[in-house]
Amino acid sequence: MSQQALSPYQLVAGVAVITLDNPPVNGLGLALRLRLEEALRVAIADRAVRAIVLSGAGRGFCAGGDITEFDLPAITQSPSLMALFGLIEDSPKPVVAAIHGMALGGGLELAMACHARVAHEQALVGLPEVHLGLIPGAGGTQRLPRLVGVETALNLIVQGRTCQAYTMRDSGLFDQLTSDSPLDAAQALALKLADQVGSGSALRRTGQLSVHMHDAAAFFAYARATAKAQSRGLPAPEAGVDCVEFATTLPFQQGLEGEFEVFSRLRTTAQFAGLRHVFLAERKALEVEGLPSATSPRPVERAVVIGGGTMGSGITISLANGGLSVTMVERDQNALDRGLMTVRQHYEGAQKKGRLSAQQAEQQLSLIKGALDYQGVAEADLVIEAIFEDLQAKREVFEQIDALARPGALLASNTSMLDINQIAAFTGRPQDVLGLHFFSPAQVMKLLEVVEGERTAPEVMATAMAFARRIGKTAVVSGVCEGFIGNRMLQPYMMQAGLLLDEGALPHQVDRAIERWGMAMGPFRVSDLAGNDLGAQIREQRLTQNPNLVYSRNFDAITRMGRFGQKVGRGWYDYVPGQRAPEPSGEVNAAIEAESRRLGIQRRIISDEEIVERLLFALINEGAKILEEGIAQRSSDIDVVYTAGYGFPRWRGGPMFCADQLGLKYVFARMRHFAGGHDYQRCEDFWRPSALLCQLAEREQSSSALNQSEKS
């Protein structure tokens, strides 16, 4: 078959330029692998071709393997990545990678199989597979140490770090860095290598390079122990150390085989299943159901944040980090000065830690200014209200910004609990009003709940999702209800935590059980962090609306003691100055035991398993109710909320994914068991399964069915 019929590459002055083209990130799925193999074989056989350059179409070189194929037969179908990269490395003609945008995971492994690499200095490179519970599985752990040395390779592989190419200028990974087109430079280098081959020089094949490591056994033992200590029991980091050790102790081909064996084993673990689910769920969450495909986001360049407290300052920083011009508005000069000082201290701290250069810090600060009036609202594309949770106060803010904002500006509330539809009704433009619920500290936490009101326009939703991506947030759409998705589910979780105290547990036992299971912080440590007085306000509001809710009276007892949490050094725990870990409080434990006596309850030993199940199943059941009501678009969105915003272990996939892994029938049966608890707790009401959960359990369906059935 002729080259013209195949058209697998563009021939430029003797160089075959093969372009990876699989939008959006040129993932190495089976279809692309087949096209790439065909193009390589044709180019190698074509006498007119002296050298080959691999380039990427669109916004980057290649972001790696296609994760959607990882549990399909396609992942093992020929050509495998290992075979394809072997074809490249064994090519008698020079193969050069031209890297722009990104070369991540399998994309970087592809580049390392080439005989040379030219990268744009701002290109993002790395082997982040560990964040999916995997190790590089197509030669990355064997080729990277041969190019950059063992220590640098370990840091990249075990930590899953990504970095810009210029930071690895002297590492040996790249043959050339450029601020111009890497494709032009790669073509020139490819021809130079072809001339050298023609003169009898051998190509530099990565797999033939040697790896030297002094006192390797001691070094890898230390690296393995460090990885184990930092990985909280996840197997991939330690496995990464093992595979890099293969590179120093085994011939190249045996090292590749060992790496692939480890990769294949990790691909069957529960950790990979959970991490893969969250990875795909975060991308699915970007899709707004019912949004017309032609809907275009509005431009957002200038923003106003009303409020300069902890949340307002954090939001201001987040917006400036995304390149937006931000005006922070406060009611008096002292409050404004405090807010702006908080912002400045953040950037100064980032500079001291080496996260930003002095120039970058000043550039970010130059985007931020303060004001004591609302005049900046008239020029803003986005206004975010971030004051305290009082509906009347928010009404006053929205009436003022409604009078000043230009047509088409987005008016957003950062409320965590209040009704967005009521807030929208305070304006004459409810179609432009929505909730943007940031999580504290806003400059750190990734989650952003985008709350869609009854009359929020499709354009506004499209704009909000694009805005979230720009400022680096993980966005999830929520409908309007008390607490939206995350905080609404948190309430039954906290209720169960308190009732466990009544029956025999103590705060440190509850926290320890759920933290060992994987949660970043247990419920009582979270309560101390947020402020127990704030929790008391939320309970009061909820009980006013629904007097039948049952909370443990221990919550009110510690509030009456003035134990408001970390901010006062006393909460569910005692906080000793200079001591990192909180101490269980004898005073609190005595009060808990007294409450059990008041209730006439004989305290019992409660297993960690029961603690975990009662907390987890409370989340699952409320999540199912949220789906029934259409508050969440899909069950995987709930998983994203909890893994991105509430410390739920990513490797467990989120509460709804856990329900699938356990089996809805099992969850349903355990809830019925818990419904037989103490009468005063109204257990029958609390543990009554949602209608959707009952339906799916009876049908023996799973979380995937829950996703599909949420609107039925």
Side-chain angles (χ1 to χ4, degrees), residues 28-30 33 36-37 40-41 65 74-91 106-107 109-110 112-114 135-143 146 207 243 246 251-264:
L28 291 165
L30 177 60
R33 299 200 305 272
L36 179 55
E37 180 192 43
L40 284 165
R41 292 194 184 281
I75 192 173
T76 56
Q77 285 181 248
S78 182
S80 68
L81 287 179
M82 200 79 78
L84 193 58
F85 297 169
L87 176 64
I88 291 168
E89 191 162 40
D90 294 341
S91 167
E109 290 179 296
L110 167 61
M112 290 191 292
C114 296
I135 50 111
T141 66
Q142 304 306 296
R143 290 189 173 96
R146 287 173 160 80
C243 289
F246 294 162
F252 179 64
Q253 189 58 42
Q254 287 183 32
L256 289 178
E257 292 167 2
E259 176 198 79
F260 187 72
E261 182 180 334
V262 172
F263 171 83
S264 299

Side-chain angles (χ1 to χ4, degrees), residues 29 65-75 272 276 279-280 283:
D66 185 347
I67 194 172
T68 63
E69 290 186 354
F70 275 30
D71 58 352
L72 299 174
I75 192 173
F272 168 67
R276 176 181 183 269
F279 179 88
L280 296 173
R283 281 142 187 79

